[in-house]
Amino acid sequence: MHIADDPEIGAVIGSLLKGRDIPGLAKGKTLEPSQSKLGWAYTAVVPTTCCAQVMCMFVQALDQATSRAKS
C-alpha cells in the first residue's frame, strides 16, 4: 500500500500500524512504514489466507487517519 497524495494521513497511518502484529508474518516481525520522496509505503509479504485480515487493518487505520484529519 502506498499513500502519496497526503503525507499527513500517511504519517498517521504509520503511527497506527507501527509495531502491530501483522497476520501471516513470522513471529516477532512487524510492519514498518517507510517514507519515500513520493509518500509513505507499507509492505508485508503474507500468505493469501491472511490478506483479508491485513487489508482490514489498513482500512481501519485509513478510516481513523481520515477521521482525525477531518476534525
Side-chain angles (χ1 to χ4, degrees):
M1 176 179 227
H2 188 262
I3 300 172
D5 60 339
D6 193 330
E8 231 176 270
I9 289 178
V12 172
I13 290 173
S15 70
L16 292 169
L17 294 176
K18 186 171 182 163
R20 289 196 50 198
D21 288 331
I22 303 299
L25 284 185
K27 188 172 181 145
K29 297 260 184 194
T30 59
L31 178 69
E32 294 293 332
S34 61
Q35 189 172 18
S36 71
K37 63 182 178 183
L38 300 175
W40 288 87
Y42 307 89
T43 359
V45 177
V46 297
T48 54
T49 55
C50 298
C51 287
Q53 289 175 286
V54 174
M55 289 308 298
C56 282
M57 290 176 70
F58 280 113
V59 169
Q60 289 171 350
L62 180 60
D63 184 49
Q64 289 178 5
T66 54
S67 294
R68 286 183 187 183
K70 289 177 185 174
S71 58

